[in-house]
Amino acid sequence: MSDSPRFVVGSSDFLLDGEPIRLVSGALHYFRVHPDQWADRLAAARAMGLNTVETYLPWNLHEPEPGGHDFSGGLDVERFVALAEEAGLFVLLRPGPYICAEWELGGLPWWLLRDPDMRLRSSYQPFLDAVDAWFDVLIPKLLPMLATRGGPALMVQVENEFGSYGADPDYLPHLRDGLLRRGVDVPLFTSDGPEEHMLTNGLVEGVLGTVNFGSRAAEAFEAFRGHRAEGPLMCMEFWCGWFDHWGERHHARDPLDAAATLDDILGAGASVNFYMWHGGTNFGYLNGANHGAGFEPTITSYDYDAPLSEWGTPTPKFEAFRDVIAEHLGEPLTEEPPAVRLAGFGDVRLTESAAVLRNLVSVGRFEQPPTVEEAGIGHGFAVYRATLPAGAATLRIPVVHDRAQVLVDGVEVGVLERDGEQDTVALPPGGALLEILLENQGRVNYGPHLHDRKGLLGGVEVDGVALSDWEVLRLAEVDKIHFGQLGGPLYRRGVLEVDEPADTFIDLPGFAKGVVWVNGFNLGRYWDRGPQTRLYVPKPVLVEGANEIVVLDLHPGDSDTVRFVAEPALGEPDVFRGSLG
């Protein structure tokens, strides 16, 4: 196995400067936390007794278009790692290229799906070429962070849980060799579930193996030892909570049950990484989705029932875990995490409106409805526009990915959803202009449905005949909206006056579905389907004085007022014991 002068993977322990070290780590994704709050979150990690922090690196955020890279602001991973080091934390880096993470397309860029033959997470050469080009940019930025170069990063992961996805014998070795060739000289590791096929397909020669689970630690480690007799034991993802889909109840795990599993892990002499330690938020349109019995998009909150809440306050799980860690360290942990001030600012009336369908930017004309990837629209919404033939009575969209709001002459006539029970809409007599507002609700991030292209995938039929000659448009940027027009889905705008910014939550009583921006910052999606009914507003998003609030209101009703409150609302919890994974 690879090693570094400082950090070595021994036969039974990790060694730091020649002495055994147990990694007590927590997952904290810099891209799910406002960058002005990174330092506070890292300080809280130290207060719980962690000595390490772990993060994925999302390719799709850092390269939103081929060859166009972004490492600024909330994507400044170099600054994040430097702050972790200042906080006295080591770092584990998980650059993928696939990361899962309940993140859009598992962190893979949407534009890969422009290739109709694309085979993600495989040795398909165009995929490997794109990965190699990305790693040529990314890895040189990571090298100074490595422990071999004086940085805090102790290890780097090869892909992520590949054993639960595929069995391509050439793919993982290509990634391993690519990391080594580009100069990564700290230990490499993989992480997989404890099931036989996961370990068989996910472990790589010359790379440390780790295992992911939420309960039954002894069984998981025993299964792992059946594949790797030597090396330190590590639970790389201790699933101490879980994520939520729209339409489900909020998942919550009993803190004492989770703490008992943590005690089992540490009692086995293993290292641990809490997944999640602090979940954060799926800001914007980057939430992922699952596909089990049907399509299941993930909510905006990624609170995960983690030890540190979405808004940065310790939970009972934080205290229970700290007690277990202190017991195994043999010393008390007395440092307290930074305080978080939550405030309510009252009601804001949204006094201005703008028609969504009059604030569009054309991206092209097509004979048949393209996928949004073919149209060049990466995330969020697209509008398909066509002219209805005279006498049109019935419209059919056989395959919708994911939600189609059908409007005729600006009036909504129906909504079709992926996996919905119907695929037809009755058209009003004399209708002329057809507009379909298509929402990409998040690409699948896990499992065999990963190649999740979006749009009207089966075309559109009117009275049994394919409708042709389409214009596809995207929504205007929020700062380019022209307020004043009415009709159909609306943007609503108001002003929140703030004397002293603080963390808060926006409640949208009477609103059905849409998106919220505060001072141009996309907080994410809301949906009265629940379980989440309020969106988290980080303190750094607000300014002293006037703050612009814009709400995309897909189904306008009588409500025109939102409320800023000091309490979250993630729905009635569904408390479980042990892992759901």
Side-chain angles (χ1 to χ4, degrees), residues 288-578:
N290 288 94
H291 198 294
F295 179 66
E296 302 169 311
T298 303
I299 68 172
T300 298
S301 171
Y302 200 62
D303 178 78
Y304 213 91
D305 191 40
L308 198 74
S309 72
E310 179 184 8
W311 47 98
T313 59
T315 69
K317 199 174 285 182
F318 183 104
E319 300 300 333
F321 286 177
R322 182 158 70 167
D323 289 344
V324 174
I325 293 169
E327 180 181 348
H328 283 272
L329 291 179
E331 59 186 49
L333 296 169
T334 58
E335 186 178 345
E336 293 300 323
V340 174
R341 187 174 75 89
L342 299 175
F345 299 106
D347 291 355
V348 173
R349 187 161 177 263
L350 307 176
T351 56
E352 296 179 89
S353 296
V356 171
L357 298 179
R358 301 298 167 261
N359 285 274
L360 302 172
V361 178
S362 180
V363 299
R365 301 199 71 90
F366 303 84
E367 182 64 17
Q368 294 297 323
T371 67
V372 298
E373 292 83 11
E374 291 169 335
I377 300 174
H379 306 285
F381 297 84
V383 172
Y384 293 77
R385 181 182 286 168
T387 301
L388 290 169
T394 303
L395 176 140
R396 178 173 181 261
I397 310 178
V399 184
V400 174
H401 283 195
D402 302 307
R403 189 176 190 267
Q405 196 169 337
V406 182
L407 300 104
V408 175
D409 297 332
V411 178
E412 182 180 312
V413 296
V415 175
L416 300 177
E417 291 190 284
R418 185 170 176 168
D419 300 329
E421 295 182 358
Q422 65 182 66
D423 61 5
T424 60
V425 173
L427 298 173
L433 179 66
L434 173 67
E435 292 172 301
I436 300 172
L437 178 55
L438 186 285
E439 182 183 4
N440 162 7
Q441 294 182 306
R443 292 181 178 88
V444 171
N445 57 260
Y446 180 83
H449 297 274
L450 193 64
H451 297 72
D452 187 19
R453 293 174 175 86
K454 301 297 188 180
L456 311 178
L457 273 59
V460 177
E461 299 174 1
V462 174
D463 298 332
V465 178
L467 185 61
S468 59
D469 190 13
W470 292 83
E471 182 181 15
V472 178
L473 309 96
R474 62 174 175 82
L475 273 59
E477 299 297 326
V478 69
D479 60 346
K480 300 294 194 301
I481 296 170
H482 296 288
F483 284 85
Q485 316 99 319
L486 298 177
L490 296 175
Y491 294 105
R492 298 179 184 270
R493 184 166 69 179
V495 175
L496 168 67
E497 293 289 343
V498 172
D499 292 332
E500 183 181 358
D503 290 279
T504 189
F505 303 88
I506 184 170
D507 192 17
L508 298 108
F511 288 78
K513 194 177 196 308
V515 181
V516 178
W517 292 262
V518 174
N519 293 327
F521 185 93
N522 190 329
L523 296 179
R525 313 172 203 252
Y526 67 90
W527 199 354
D528 63 3
R529 180 170 294 187
Q532 178 179 10
T533 57
R534 295 172 182 171
L535 298 182
Y536 170 55
V537 184
K539 173 184 173 180
V541 170
L542 298 173
V543 298
E544 187 176 317
N547 293 264
E548 181 190 59
I549 313 302
V550 176
V551 175
L552 170 56
D553 186 358
L554 291 174
H555 302 284
D558 296 332
S559 300
D560 65 358
T561 300
V562 298
R563 183 174 301 126
F564 288 85
V565 299
E567 299 84 24
L570 293 176
E572 186 69 22
D574 179 13
V575 179
F576 64 95
R577 295 177 65 84

Side-chain angles (χ1 to χ4, degrees), residues 71-104:
F71 292 91
S72 63
L75 297 178
D76 189 349
V77 63
E78 293 164 291
R79 175 174 173 263
F80 175 79
V81 171
L83 288 172
E85 185 174 24
E86 289 178 17
L89 295 163
F90 296 112
V91 177
L92 304 177
L93 297 172
R94 305 172 83 182
Y98 165 83
I99 63 173
C100 186
E102 289 72 58
W103 192 248
E104 230 262 357

Side-chain angles (χ1 to χ4, degrees), residues 196-317:
E196 182 67 22
H197 72 280
M198 297 178 181
L199 293 170
T200 298
N201 298 327
L203 294 171
V204 187
E205 184 179 354
V207 175
L208 172 73
T210 67
V211 67
N212 303 338
F213 57 85
S215 59
R216 301 188 296 277
E219 294 176 33
F221 286 138
E222 182 180 7
F224 176 77
R225 280 297 187 218
H227 290 259
R228 289 283 174 89
E230 291 190 350
L233 288 174
M234 182 163 189
C235 178
M236 185 54 66
E237 292 187 12
F238 169 39
W239 301 321
C240 55
W242 208 247
F243 54 91
D244 299 327
H245 298 127
W246 291 111
E248 295 179 347
R249 291 176 67 185
H250 171 56
H251 292 105
R253 183 173 181 183
D254 178 83
L256 296 181
D257 175 64
T261 300
L262 173 61
D263 188 51
D264 291 341
I265 294 170
L266 297 180
S271 291
V272 67
N273 179 55
F274 297 96
Y275 194 96
M276 294 293 297
W277 175 77
H278 172 57
T281 310
N282 295 315
F283 295 119
Y285 302 121
L286 275 297
N287 64 277
N290 288 94
H291 198 294
F295 179 66
E296 302 169 311
T298 303
I299 68 172
T300 298
S301 171
Y302 200 62
D303 178 78
Y304 213 91
D305 191 40
L308 198 74
S309 72
E310 179 184 8
W311 47 98
T313 59
T315 69
K317 199 174 285 182

